[in-house]
Amino acid sequence: MKSDEVVRSGPNQYICEDGIFKDLATFTETFQTPVVVTGYKSFEAFQDYAPLPPNVKVYQHDGYCSDEAIRSISKFASESDVIIGIGGGVVLDTAKSVADHLGVEVITVPTVAGTCAAATPLSVMYDDTGAFVRVDYHTRTIHVAVVDPTFLLSSPMEYAKSGISDSLAKWYEAEPIIHNDQHEDLSIMVKVALDHASYIKDILLDESRAAIESMESSTMSPSFKNVVEAIIPLSGTVGGYGGKYGRTAGAHAIHNGLSFIDETHTVLHGHKVAYGIIVQLVLEGKSEEVKNLLPFYHDLGFPSSLEGLNIVDSKDQAMKTVASHAVKPDETLQLISSFTESDVVEAMKDLENALVKR
């Protein structure tokens, strides 16, 4: 059985509660040798807000989720019986991979609402230069995912915006995968995944502006909490329930191609996915949907052109680099249709020359 055909229901336990980070020790009481895997800025922010559980070792990681990083951290944590990931998507993916490598439980503590990494039993793997390598599916689910809206309210706003765009892709990628494979009888779980993707899209398009305003004013609101939970646990259920129908497609294939261009390495994951969404829509012949999305993109500062991704020079070569990767047989763009490299380049040119400038 293929990994993308297995239904993965999400964390073993999930809690979203204001101030819950301050009670993190209650989730580690049954373990003897916890190890925290964290970043630098994320760890500083966490320590300013809440205490660590007692008797923990801490490993601070500032690179990519790579095979070399996993090997190095696993040596440091070789005696651990639980890994606690405290940070953003890269740190959480790294923590999950280390736990999987060691065969122990993992607790996820997201310090930004940037991805669904805190709720999904997989890791996106890169090499040490930041180029995409593969997706690893883990043998265990997450032991507990701990989400604290009060903490996230004061987290970096750009990461929340990145989470919004990454989660918006759930609908735009799942729907054409299912449409392209409509001759098959879809299971109830796949239908639930598509319903969740549609619900996520509605929440994000309706409430993201209000959620960002909450962050700007440091004022908690129902919209902020709704957007946080759409990004973290709910987004994870689309791929978890939908299997191969709910995984990434064209938008993430474009993102993966962009990872081979150095200028984009400072651009957040979700922002590259946002650009990938509209490239995919052009490829599908859905230019009107692109036009409908652009006001939302402009309001939230999502990139709709190469310049928005820091690609100013050598645009033609950048398009070829992205396209050549996106159309590889093992890339997820093929889940929608058999597009060619020239198809992708032309879609990107359409965005540069016509749609975005109107």
Side-chain angles (χ1 to χ4, degrees):
M1 180 177 292
K2 297 179 181 178
S3 295
D4 61 4
E5 294 177 345
V6 176
V7 172
R8 299 164 185 266
S9 58
N12 182 45
Q13 301 175 69
Y14 167 79
I15 183 166
C16 178
E17 183 179 303
D18 291 320
I20 193 64
F21 282 1
K22 297 176 182 180
D23 297 324
L24 184 58
T26 62
F27 301 102
T28 65
E29 290 175 347
T30 59
F31 299 100
Q32 302 301 314
T33 54
V35 169
V36 167
V37 175
T38 187
Y40 285 86
K41 292 181 179 178
S42 54
F43 189 53
E44 181 181 358
F46 181 88
Q47 285 192 302
D48 287 343
Y49 180 81
L52 279 178
N55 304 317
V56 299
K57 293 171 62 179
V58 177
Y59 188 104
Q60 290 181 278
H61 175 59
D62 64 353
Y64 295 98
C65 182
S66 67
D67 289 318
E68 181 57 36
I70 303 313
R71 284 191 291 268
S72 177
I73 302 170
S74 293
K75 289 180 182 178
F76 175 86
S78 61
E79 302 300 319
S80 171
D81 60 354
V82 63
I83 301 296
I84 306 168
I86 300 177
V90 171
V91 165
L92 297 181
D93 277 2
T94 303
K96 290 182 291 182
S97 286
V98 170
D100 189 66
H101 184 79
L102 296 174
V104 300
E105 302 286 5
V106 63
I107 296 171
T108 55
V109 182
T111 57
V112 294
T115 69
C116 60
T120 53
L122 58 85
S123 295
V124 182
M125 303 299 296
Y126 298 87
D127 65 22
D128 288 324
T129 70
F132 172 79
V133 176
R134 66 183 185 275
V135 176
D136 284 348
Y137 297 95
H138 302 316
T139 54
R140 297 187 186 206
T141 189
I142 293 164
H143 179 64
V144 58
V146 185
V147 177
D148 188 330
T150 298
F151 179 93
L152 294 175
L153 186 66
S154 59
S155 65
M157 197 178 309
E158 284 305 305
Y159 283 93
K161 291 181 179 180
S162 177
I164 289 166
S165 51
D166 191 38
S167 302
L168 186 63
K170 299 296 183 181
W171 166 258
Y172 288 106
E173 294 188 297
E175 190 277 332
I177 292 174
I178 293 173
H179 178 79
N180 188 46
D181 214 4
Q182 61 181 332
H183 62 280
E184 291 192 11
D185 292 330
L186 299 178
S187 72
I188 289 295
M189 297 305 289
V190 171
K191 293 176 181 177
V192 169
L194 191 62
D195 284 346
H196 281 199
S198 178
Y199 184 40
I200 290 165
K201 182 191 72 167
D202 290 344
I203 291 171
L204 297 179
L205 293 180
D206 292 344
E207 301 192 59
S208 289
R209 294 176 180 88
I212 296 302
E213 288 173 2
S214 290
M215 297 187 78
E216 290 172 340
S217 63
S218 300
T219 305
M220 186 61 69
S221 69
S223 287
F224 178 76
K225 290 186 176 181
N226 289 344
V227 167
V228 164
E229 294 208 275
I231 292 169
I232 298 177
L234 194 55
S235 288
T237 65
V238 178
Y241 293 163
K244 65 181 181 179
Y245 296 100
R247 304 300 182 193
T248 59
H252 277 80
I254 298 300
H255 162 277
N256 296 341
L258 288 166
S259 74
F260 290 90
I261 301 173
D262 289 345
E263 291 90 334
T264 71
H265 287 181
T266 58
V267 179
L268 293 176
H269 170 87
H271 288 49
K272 285 180 276 193
V273 172
Y275 177 74
I277 291 173
I278 56 176
V279 173
Q280 176 190 305
L281 287 172
V282 175
L283 284 167
E284 294 181 84
K286 298 178 180 178
S287 296
E288 286 303 313
E289 183 69 12
V290 174
K291 294 174 188 175
N292 291 337
L293 279 177
L294 285 180
F296 180 76
Y297 270 45
H298 294 157
D299 285 351
L300 271 72
F302 295 159
S304 54
S305 67
L306 291 176
E307 288 190 12
L309 297 162
N310 298 335
I311 301 171
V312 178
D313 301 316
S314 303
K315 290 183 179 180
D316 287 344
Q317 182 56 50
M319 292 180 193
K320 291 178 182 177
T321 298
V322 173
S324 65
H325 181 88
V327 300
K328 286 182 177 179
D330 58 347
E331 255 301 348
T332 52
L333 181 60
Q334 302 304 316
L335 295 174
I336 299 175
S337 186
S338 298
F339 296 110
T340 66
E341 184 175 329
S342 62
D343 290 334
V344 177
V345 169
E346 286 305 310
M348 295 172 75
K349 285 183 177 178
D350 283 349
L351 288 171
E352 295 296 303
N353 300 328
L355 289 172
V356 173
K357 294 182 179 179
R358 286 180 182 174

